[in-house]
Amino acid sequence: MLILRSEVDGTRVRAIDELVARGARGPSGRPVIFIDDPALAEIVLHGPTFDRGRLARSFCGNGLLFSDGDHWRERRRIVQPAFPPRDPDQHLQDVNWAMPGLIRRFEAAARAGSTLGVVEETVRFTTRVLYRGVFGQELPEDHDRVEVILDYFDSIGGILSATIFPALKLDGRSMTEVRGKAAAMDVEVDRLIDVRRAGKTNPDDVRTDALGRIIDEVGKAGNQAGVREEVRSLLVAGAETTSNTLGFLLLMLATRPDARDRLERELDAAPGGSPPFLDAVIFETLRLFPAVWFQTRESTTPIELGNHQLEKDDLVFVSTALIHRRPDIWADPDSFRPERFLPGSEDPQRSRHRYAFFPFGGGRHLCLGRHLALHELRLAVRGIFERFRVEVVDEIPLVAELGVVLKPDRRIRVRVTEREKASI
Ligand code: HEM
């Protein structure tokens, strides 16, 4: 497997600091500039003199998540109506549809006394939501698409990181292996497109899911490559980001009984509700483990940015993971303290800069799927913790994989038991 592994010390993913210290080089051959200042992050994400550049595109194609300029604008025009900003509940029914499957898998594991792979289960769930809500297709609850998707992500993540951080060792280096994973992914992408095309029986049907719109608009001039790159881009954007957040959240609560007990108490006191502590746990996980741990941009012109003098094509990392842990913004930054996100919290981060906490990015590339992601997280956390207790099986150190996204190590397994409800 082609991935970068990194020890997690408490909650801190150590390799991120090491990467900054060791230095990294962009496609121009010049050092990468790491931005850990919220004010500079705002300039980069909003400024007209930065765009997504060549790096991510060279690995993942020119889909919505990796493109910029007129090409990106046109694709965003096509896809955005499938994520209507004024109807954030649009995808709630897709999440509600997938929830019983997730709960049944936990139920079966609890009954059998067996363990569950955190990453596999969370990806299985988010893939089902994504396929239904974004690609217009329903997968069975025990579907087998997880491996092909995870393998593909691991491959591109590993290559991307190894390109930028040559000092880091890879867990294997075979380009043949990567090509094999990419080819397997292409088969899955083509299958998705074929099934969706076949689903349109009446030529006057108006398709409102993202894939339907992409096929109708991007594919109309026979641009099959364009349709493919959008599907790949939406898979990368939507499957692993939410699943990894959910995975880290399960692990945090499995190792922090005080936070878990409080969540259980508040859920028991308001069955089916959304107590503020639920969101606080989600936001604190997004702070410590932002799935999109950096956002890359390249300068389109020489420019001064804080103390840095940038040349054209210099690579900038807006380092969400570093900004989210700045000690001058966040008290006790490496601790998992959901309380800091509760209404009325005295935490100094209350008066923080808008780019002190920005797990979903900002500026023109603000995450399109953020409402969908929050629905998934809220319903899954509520559904799981209302009924089950989740414990880490082995005393192995928590490890994160650093790729395009930050994710828990695939080897981590949890034991699930039915829990007793607090008497109210
Ligand atoms: C916890 C889950 C998620 C996180 C943390 C997250 C984070 C982000 C971030 C930081 C960006 C900005 C990237 C940049 O500036 O280059 C982004 C963009 C994007 N996200 Fe998400 N995302 C999540 C879930 C989703 C989901 C479920 C979807 C649904 C498909 C989605 C679709 C997108 C798309 C299409 C973009 C590109 C927007 C553009 O450039 O116009 N995301 N996401």
Side-chain angles (χ1 to χ4, degrees):
M1 196 59 53
L2 195 69
I3 36 183
L4 299 173
R5 292 226 162 76
S6 149
E7 297 281 302
V8 178
D9 180 14
T11 66
R12 192 154 190 114
V13 185
R14 267 189 258 136
I16 294 179
D17 303 308
E18 287 168 24
L19 293 177
V20 181
R22 285 197 204 188
R25 303 221 162 244
S28 66
R30 288 171 44 84
V32 174
I33 313 290
F34 287 89
I35 299 299
D36 66 354
D37 176 337
L40 298 185
E42 182 166 22
I43 293 175
V44 172
L45 294 179
H46 289 256
T49 55
F50 292 92
D51 73 15
R52 281 201 173 124
R54 295 162 292 169
L55 181 71
R57 265 204 306 277
S58 64
F59 293 101
C60 310
N62 209 9
L64 188 53
L65 187 63
F66 307 109
S67 57
D68 223 318
D70 289 343
H71 177 91
W72 164 79
R73 208 165 285 112
E74 172 60 5
R75 295 289 169 89
R76 179 117 182 177
R77 180 192 69 71
I78 294 168
V79 175
Q80 176 141 343
F83 297 86
R86 280 185 206 82
D87 182 8
D89 290 344
Q90 151 99 0
H91 291 292
L92 195 51
Q93 52 176 309
D94 301 311
V95 186
N96 272 321
W97 169 84
M99 273 305 296
L102 177 72
I103 296 302
R104 269 194 292 273
R105 290 187 65 84
F106 273 64
E107 204 171 56
R111 202 172 296 139
S114 55
T115 61
L116 289 175
V118 170
V119 174
E120 287 78 1
E121 288 314 315
T122 54
V123 172
R124 195 184 309 279
F125 166 65
T126 55
T127 309
R128 290 185 80 220
V129 175
L130 193 72
Y131 271 47
R132 188 178 199 260
V134 177
F135 302 134
Q137 293 169 40
E138 295 185 357
L139 288 175
E141 59 197 49
D142 59 348
H143 71 87
D144 58 2
R145 306 302 199 290
V146 173
E147 280 300 308
V148 76
I149 293 174
L150 283 177
D151 284 353
Y152 172 69
F153 289 159
D154 288 347
S155 317
I156 54 169
I159 299 183
L160 193 64
S161 313
T163 307
I164 307 170
F165 305 111
L168 282 185
K169 285 201 184 67
L170 278 178
D171 238 12
R173 275 173 199 273
S174 158
M175 276 315 286
T176 318
E177 187 188 335
V178 175
R179 277 194 213 101
K181 312 275 186 223
M185 185 68 174
D186 279 345
V187 172
E188 175 61 6
V189 167
D190 283 346
R191 195 202 58 82
L192 261 168
I193 297 168
D194 291 346
V195 170
R196 191 70 189 88
R197 274 194 213 280
K200 183 169 179 173
T201 44
N202 176 353
D204 296 328
D205 273 355
V206 179
R207 299 201 262 204
T208 53
D209 61 279
L211 181 53
R213 296 182 55 82
I214 291 164
I215 288 173
D216 286 349
E217 297 222 30
V218 180
K220 70 181 167 211
N223 184 2
Q224 178 70 2
V227 176
R228 271 181 165 178
E229 67 194 6
E230 285 310 331
V231 172
R232 245 186 258 121
S233 164
L234 286 168
L235 274 167
V236 175
E240 263 212 313
T241 43
T242 320
S243 69
N244 297 341
T245 309
L246 184 56
F248 279 119
L249 188 152
L250 294 178
L251 294 173
M252 281 295 100
L253 290 185
T255 50
R256 282 288 308 276
D258 53 328
R260 180 201 63 202
D261 290 352
R262 179 167 181 180
L263 179 65
E264 288 178 359
R265 270 199 314 276
E266 297 202 7
L267 289 172
D268 290 351
S274 279
F277 198 66
L278 175 65
D279 271 3
V281 167
I282 292 170
F283 291 145
E284 182 66 342
T285 307
L286 283 166
R287 183 185 71 81
L288 284 174
F289 302 106
V292 182
W293 57 285
F294 62 87
Q295 292 154 69
T296 59
R297 297 291 186 270
E298 289 174 30
S299 53
T300 57
T301 179
I303 187 175
E304 204 177 303
L305 182 68
N307 297 327
H308 311 283
Q309 183 57 52
L310 272 63
E311 302 298 329
K312 181 174 178 313
D313 296 334
D314 274 355
L315 182 63
V316 175
F317 269 37
V318 177
S319 308
T320 316
L322 298 179
I323 294 177
H324 281 188
R325 289 169 183 254
R326 272 182 67 134
D328 57 338
I329 301 176
W330 304 93
D332 202 4
D334 294 333
S335 289
F336 181 75
R337 282 184 28 194
E339 306 76 31
R340 64 173 104 236
F341 282 100
L342 287 176
S345 157
E346 294 294 308
D347 208 300
Q349 47 94 5
R350 286 282 128 203
S351 54
R352 64 194 181 215
H353 190 280
R354 62 182 285 207
Y355 282 96
F357 179 65
F358 59 121
F360 295 108
R364 63 186 179 279
H365 295 298
L366 177 67
C367 176
L368 258 187
R370 61 197 185 284
H371 298 300
L372 170 59
L374 286 172
H375 281 320
E376 289 179 88
L377 292 167
R378 286 184 182 124
L379 266 68
V381 176
R382 188 169 72 204
I384 292 170
F385 286 90
E386 264 177 357
R387 272 193 61 185
F388 304 103
R389 184 153 284 181
V390 178
E391 283 154 316
V392 179
V393 176
D394 305 308
E395 285 299 309
I396 54 167
L398 182 52
V399 166
E401 292 172 6
L402 292 175
V404 178
V405 291
L406 181 67
K407 56 184 159 185
D409 186 329
R410 259 210 232 187
R411 291 168 301 189
I412 299 177
R413 301 191 67 81
V414 288
R415 187 174 317 286
V416 179
T417 44
E418 295 263 1
R419 74 170 177 87
E420 300 206 347
K421 293 240 186 308
S423 45
I424 303 148

